[in-house]
Amino acid sequence: MTAAPLSGRATATEPAPPAQDRPGQEPRDHRRRHGLRAWAGRQYWPAVWYLLPAAVFYTLFVLRPLGQTAWISLFRWDGLTEGRWVGLGNYRALLSDTRIPAAIGHSLEFVVFYALLPVALGLFLAALMSRIRIHGLSFFRAVLFLPQILATVVVAVSWRWIYDIDGPLNAALRAVGLGSLARAWLGDYHTALPSVGLVGTWVMYGLCMVLFLAGTQKIPTELYESARIDGCGPVREFFTVTLPALRGEMSIALVLTITYALRNFDLVWNTTTGGPGTSTTVPSVFIYQGAFLTHEVGGAAAISVCLTAVVLVVTGVVMRLVRGKEG
């Protein structure tokens, strides 16, 4: 036997009464309309026409393909015949595929080589070039940036030759008496992934260096003079003046390099094809194999959607961590 609720007392299921406007205060609807009109009056509406072409281009060539990929991921389709609706079946298959966690782990390892090492090298070179007067600085800067503008296939083929068992790397090791270390660097289970990762470091550090050099140009020289008057040495000057001033450039560099590491395909495919075994396989390799080799287009689209989500989340977290304190 349960007690009946007391009369006149509001129960948890009764809706809360609407908030009343205070006497003499403008009604809430009027205040909202006034706020919208004030917001609209502050906008420069002709700017919308300038943004419209880019918005249309972005919608047609970025958002529309993304939507089509997400739609295809809901079908079992070989790319030729009519697809069969499977709903989230392709995503459930991904969860039970033991190869996917290993591939994601390889991508995270590539983040170290493609993002963290290039950022550290770029910071070191930018600090060095901004502090020491170097004759022919433009030449050295162009040479160091050169890997960034080379075609990835050219880079991959060149490093395959360098890493070859009879390549210049093993020849140099034998010449200095370290022949026992010579090996097929891209064919060894233990050295294939670091070898490909170091190629990525070589490609990406030039971009980071140029970004940081541009950032150092905007640092007021008075800050460096004040630091030197306070007795700061080169290392302390770097950590107290240069590094905090480059926070914005670091966020851009990290977003670009981490995105490149997570969607990495061309370097891996043109150097190891994901091997030996699956030691360098990344999610992009499964996307290529599913879309063009095994004709499992729906499954490949599901991996693409998940990879896109991972890239967006990781870049969002990085930007939040690096630039959060600026707000």
Side-chain angles (χ1 to χ4, degrees):
M1 183 175 181
T2 59
L6 298 176
S7 59
R9 178 179 298 179
T11 63
T13 57
E14 293 179 352
Q20 299 294 328
D21 296 320
R22 296 178 179 175
Q25 189 177 22
E26 189 178 5
R28 178 171 299 179
D29 292 342
H30 291 180
R31 294 201 304 271
R32 185 180 297 113
R33 285 196 294 270
H34 179 73
L36 289 175
R37 283 197 297 270
W39 176 83
R42 290 194 300 268
Q43 306 307 311
Y44 181 63
W45 292 107
V48 175
W49 295 105
Y50 294 101
L51 298 175
L52 189 59
V56 171
F57 187 87
Y58 188 80
T59 302
L60 287 178
F61 296 102
V62 177
L63 298 182
R64 182 169 173 268
L66 280 176
Q68 287 181 325
T69 303
W71 177 249
I72 291 173
S73 69
L74 303 176
F75 290 84
R76 189 177 302 280
W77 186 39
D78 60 3
L80 298 174
T81 59
E82 186 176 357
R84 182 168 62 86
W85 172 267
V86 294
L88 299 177
N90 288 324
Y91 294 94
R92 286 192 290 270
L94 288 182
L95 294 177
S96 60
D97 192 340
T98 57
R99 302 173 303 168
I100 299 300
I104 294 175
H106 297 157
S107 293
L108 296 179
E109 290 185 55
F110 278 130
V111 169
V112 176
F113 292 98
Y114 283 58
L116 302 185
L117 286 179
V119 167
L121 275 174
L123 282 172
F124 173 75
L125 291 173
L128 192 67
M129 290 184 177
S130 62
R131 186 177 179 83
I132 300 176
R133 187 178 182 85
I134 302 175
H135 295 286
L137 177 62
S138 300
F139 171 77
F140 287 110
R141 194 162 47 195
V143 169
L144 295 175
F145 188 71
L146 185 63
Q148 184 64 38
I149 62 175
L150 290 177
T152 311
V153 175
V154 175
V155 173
V157 172
S158 301
W159 279 92
R160 275 169 49 189
W161 170 70
I162 293 173
Y163 283 137
D164 189 78
I165 189 66
D166 296 322
L169 177 59
N170 286 328
L173 290 174
R174 295 188 186 101
V176 297
L178 297 176
S180 60
L181 298 178
R183 66 190 66 198
W185 296 92
L186 296 176
D188 190 297
Y189 282 90
H190 302 290
T191 60
L193 192 143
S195 299
V196 178
L198 288 175
V199 178
T201 304
W202 184 74
V203 171
M204 300 304 294
Y205 84 98
L207 172 66
C208 298
M209 180 198 67
V210 170
L211 283 173
F212 299 147
L213 275 176
T216 57
Q217 303 300 315
K218 69 178 184 182
I219 302 175
T221 55
E222 292 81 3
L223 293 178
Y224 288 108
E225 293 172 357
S226 300
R228 289 164 190 166
I229 291 173
D230 292 339
C232 293
V235 176
R236 190 176 174 189
E237 183 181 295
F238 172 78
F239 283 103
T240 57
V241 178
T242 306
L243 195 59
L246 294 179
R247 182 173 294 153
E249 287 77 11
M250 286 179 61
S251 67
I252 295 173
L254 284 173
V255 167
L256 292 176
T257 53
I258 289 176
T259 303
Y260 187 84
L262 293 177
R263 63 178 177 82
N264 178 28
F265 169 74
D266 39 11
L267 268 182
V268 171
W269 189 257
N270 288 299
T271 51
T272 64
T273 325
T278 58
S279 58
T280 58
T281 304
V282 291
S284 299
V285 171
F286 291 129
I287 295 173
Y288 177 80
Q289 290 175 338
F292 301 105
L293 299 181
T294 60
H295 300 290
E296 298 172 352
V297 182
I303 301 176
S304 302
V305 172
C306 294
L307 183 60
T308 303
V310 170
V311 170
L312 291 176
V313 170
V314 171
T315 52
V317 170
V318 170
M319 293 191 68
R320 179 70 179 172
L321 290 177
V322 178
R323 306 192 65 177
K325 294 181 180 179
E326 292 182 355

